[in-house]
Each structure stands twice: as structure tokens, then as C-alpha cells.
Amino acid sequence: MNIPTCPWTLMLRTYRNILPTVHFYLNEWKERANKIPNLELRKQALMSIETKTFHCEGGAIYGLLAKNYSDELIRFIVAYQTISDYLDNLCDRSTSLAPEDFRALHESMFHALTPGAECVNYYRYRQDQEDGGYLRQLVKTCQDVLEKIPAYPKISSALYELASYYCELQVHKHVQVEERVPRLKAWFELHQDNLPEMSWYEFSACAGSTLGIFCLIAYASHENCTEDLIKQIKNAYFPWLQGLHILLDYLIDQEEDRLGGDLNFCFYYKNRNEMTKRFTHFVKKAKESVAHLPHTNFHQMINQALIGIYLADEKVISQKEVQEMSKHLIRLGGGSTFFFFLNGRVMALLR
């Protein structure tokens, strides 16, 4: 099956092939979540599925790159993203605020990337314990898929690197409020020499996406996947495309996070002009970074879709400054971005 090269075919294949498969697997996980014995764990598992379905829907587009492994890759993406969203809920609503608790929970994300790894008690530092095997089942599903991926051994180290960024971020941003920024700054300083010029909060944003992991696994399903290609993909997605992804997420959540007193990386820009300049830089660098990948048009559409779909969110309407930024970014993204923006607005209305 050919990989889409224009927005119309991408959306057609997404609606026809991707979304029904995503919802099939999500419904299975929802049924399992409903059987979790512990009330708090059950509540957070169900809430993570109900409120963050779009994370799985968006990530599953990479199934289109996997050709014959498409269904299996979507199965992996749904399970892995469900782990991510579930743990994010547990950490957001944690009463412990303990780094060791958050690290223990996120061991599951490394085990999910390691076929054959033995599961442990990921809840060992918290009171709520009994999930009826829910998290272990998610981990095992991911392992089962990766065992079938031809080039998995070639991508494992790149997967662990991206996962380590993600999991470290989750630890640092969920501890006690007064510790969060100092920890994130210290963590950034450990990596700063190996990064392009950026701020600590932009690095944190780059760490917070799972898209690079999904893209690597999609290409590992191809028999001709090479070490050079793996390096190209990792460097294309991290930092720029992943950074654009998460910065857009924080951009539209500003009002919500301000009211809730939550950490938001967009709060650390000096003013709107600086934020606009840096977002523009991320858009341009994301475009450049995927220009030499196979199926370039597909990856460019991912960039354009991220901008269009995030900025189509109804949260933008109530935030005047975000609306102004949205107009600029949509113009910057061009006609395809506007197409995805309109599609996002229609989908929001239908929901």
C-alpha cells in the first residue's frame, strides 16, 4: 500500500484505515481499565483514555509508514501511548510528589521497549497498588509487537535514548512545585553541549513527545532499514519536530494551566514577540530536519498537521494572544496547514 503524499490522501487513509483500528484497540483497553480493582487507578486509567484519545489517533498515523506491519504498529502505538497518558495522569494527581515513585512508574515505558523484560511492581512507592495486571498487560502488548519487528535490534538504543528524555522529564516536572524549575535547568545543563542553541524549557518540550519512537519503529518494520537511516530519523525528530509538537500543546493550554497553577513552558518566554520568533524557528528547523528523510512529503505533512490540528482546538478561541500566534503559524505553514486546520475544526464540531 502506497504511503500518502498529499493532505487529501493522508486524511482519507486516516479516517478509513487508521482511526477505526485505533478505536478497536482503545475499546479493548477501556474494557480492561473498567476491571481495575483499585478505584483511584481505575479512575485515572479510564480518564486517560477518555480525555486523551487524540494522542493515540495522532500517533497512529505512523502506521501508514509500516505497510504490512501497519496493524501491529497501531497496536503498539495505542498501548505505548496509553501507558504514557495513564502515567501522566497518575503523576499529575499524585499525593507523594516523590521522584522515586515517578521513576518506578516509568520503568514500565522502558520495559515496554524491551522484549523479554520482566515486569516489576511499578506502583511500589505508592498506596494505590492493585490494577488487576492492567499496566503489565500494556507493557506485554508492546513487547509482543516489537518481537515481530525485523530491525528492532538496530533501533533499540535510539528508542531508549528518546524514552530516557521523556521519562526524565516526567520525573522532574511532577515533583514539588519549588523543585521543578531548578531540576529541569540542571537536567538541561547535562545535555546542553550536545544540543543546538535553545533554552531549558524548549529542551524540556523536545523531550516530551513520543513521535520519534513511533517513527523509528515504523521504519524498523522495513527489511532495508539501515543504521544510517535510524540516525537520520532520530536526529530529524529530536529535537525539532518533537519540540514543535509539545510547544504547540503548551501554547494552547496556557489559560488552563494558568488557572490550575500548572507548569507551562510557554510561560518562560520574555514576551509574545520572543515566543513568536522561537516558534517560527522551530517550524523552520522541523521542516529542514525531515527534508532528507525517505517519504519527505509524509513527514512534512506531519509538521503541517501538528500546527493545523493543534491550533484548531477550541481552547484557542478564548485566548486572544494565542489566536494572533495561530494566524501567524498557519500562514507560515501554508496551504496544507490551513487544510489540516479546517479539518481539525470540523472534527472538533463533530465531537
Side-chain angles (χ1 to χ4, degrees):
M1 193 177 289
N2 292 332
I3 292 168
T5 57
C6 72
W8 290 100
T9 54
L10 177 66
M11 294 314 300
L12 180 63
R13 295 274 298 282
T14 298
Y15 289 129
R16 180 184 292 171
N17 306 114
I18 301 300
L19 296 186
T21 308
V22 169
H23 293 156
F24 172 80
Y25 287 124
L26 269 181
N27 285 336
E28 287 191 337
W29 291 117
K30 190 171 182 179
E31 286 181 18
R32 292 180 181 182
N34 264 311
K35 298 175 184 175
I36 293 175
N38 181 277
L39 293 178
E40 179 62 17
L41 297 180
R42 186 196 313 158
K43 174 185 171 183
Q44 299 306 334
L46 289 170
M47 190 180 297
S48 73
I49 293 172
E50 289 165 7
T51 62
K52 299 178 181 179
T53 293
F54 68 97
H55 289 169
C56 291
E57 291 173 340
I61 289 174
Y62 287 94
L64 295 170
L65 286 174
K67 298 184 177 180
N68 294 337
Y69 284 86
S70 178
D71 189 82
E72 281 294 284
L73 179 58
I74 295 171
R75 182 170 169 245
F76 172 90
I77 289 169
V78 169
Y80 197 77
Q81 190 60 51
T82 298
I83 295 174
S84 170
D85 293 336
Y86 172 51
L87 298 188
D88 192 47
N89 272 30
L90 290 182
C91 294
D92 271 342
R93 290 151 184 85
S94 176
T95 54
S96 73
L97 301 177
E100 61 267 24
D101 177 34
F102 303 145
R103 288 193 193 282
L105 288 172
H106 283 86
E107 284 174 17
S108 61
M109 296 193 76
F110 288 103
H111 291 166
L113 297 175
T114 314
E118 288 293 327
C119 292
V120 297
N121 179 12
Y122 303 115
Y123 305 104
R124 59 188 178 272
Y125 292 111
R126 55 176 47 218
Q127 283 187 320
D128 299 300
Q129 292 271 329
E130 188 50 62
D131 74 351
Y134 178 71
L135 187 51
R136 289 175 181 238
Q137 288 171 329
L138 285 163
V139 170
K140 187 66 166 61
T141 296
C142 294
Q143 292 176 339
D144 288 346
V145 173
L146 291 181
E147 280 182 334
K148 303 170 189 174
I149 299 294
Y152 165 77
K154 294 180 182 178
I155 64 168
S156 59
S157 62
L159 294 180
Y160 297 151
E161 180 183 342
L162 294 179
S164 70
Y165 294 140
Y166 179 88
C167 294
E168 281 295 308
L169 171 66
Q170 295 305 310
V171 172
H172 298 317
K173 80 170 191 174
H174 285 111
V175 295
Q176 294 184 42
V177 174
E178 63 272 15
E179 293 182 15
R180 290 173 186 176
V181 171
R183 289 181 69 112
L184 288 167
K185 286 181 175 178
W187 176 48
F188 168 62
E189 288 171 5
L190 295 175
H191 296 281
Q192 190 172 5
D193 290 344
N194 298 318
L195 294 167
E197 188 174 341
M198 64 176 62
S199 63
W200 66 266
Y201 44 92
E202 289 172 337
F203 167 65
S204 296
C206 298
S209 174
T210 49
L211 296 186
I213 288 174
F214 300 155
C215 187
L216 282 165
I217 297 171
Y219 278 103
S221 68
H222 299 200
E223 301 258 344
N224 59 351
C225 181
T226 65
E227 301 283 354
D228 284 343
L229 176 59
I230 292 163
K231 185 176 179 180
Q232 279 185 313
I233 293 166
K234 183 179 74 68
N235 292 339
Y237 272 74
F238 182 88
W240 300 115
L241 195 147
Q242 291 199 170
L244 175 63
H245 173 205
I246 301 303
L247 284 173
L248 287 165
D249 193 36
Y250 278 97
L251 176 69
I252 68 171
D253 281 347
Q254 287 180 88
E255 183 178 11
E256 186 179 293
D257 291 342
R258 194 173 284 111
L259 291 172
D262 295 328
L263 181 74
N264 187 304
F265 299 133
C266 289
F267 294 164
Y268 296 94
Y269 288 108
K270 293 176 186 175
N271 50 49
R272 194 179 75 186
N273 287 340
E274 184 192 39
M275 193 193 304
T276 301
K277 182 179 178 181
R278 291 301 294 170
F279 268 70
T280 300
H281 182 66
F282 267 82
V283 171
K284 290 179 178 177
K285 295 300 289 185
K287 182 177 181 179
E288 290 173 12
S289 71
V290 300
H292 303 293
L293 292 181
H295 316 109
T296 302
N297 287 346
F298 179 89
H299 300 286
Q300 296 291 13
M301 284 192 293
I302 295 296
N303 286 338
Q304 294 158 341
L306 284 171
I307 299 169
I309 292 171
Y310 267 101
L311 298 182
D313 195 286
E314 61 184 11
K315 296 175 188 177
V316 173
I317 298 169
S318 62
Q319 302 177 79
K320 186 177 179 181
E321 289 195 356
V322 178
Q323 279 187 315
E324 293 300 316
M325 173 88 84
S326 297
K327 292 173 186 176
H328 168 75
L329 293 175
I330 291 168
R331 284 196 300 269
L332 186 65
S336 294
T337 299
F338 187 64
F339 169 84
F340 289 118
F341 171 78
L342 290 178
N343 182 78
R345 292 301 296 269
V346 169
M347 289 303 295
L349 289 171
L350 290 176
R351 288 196 190 99

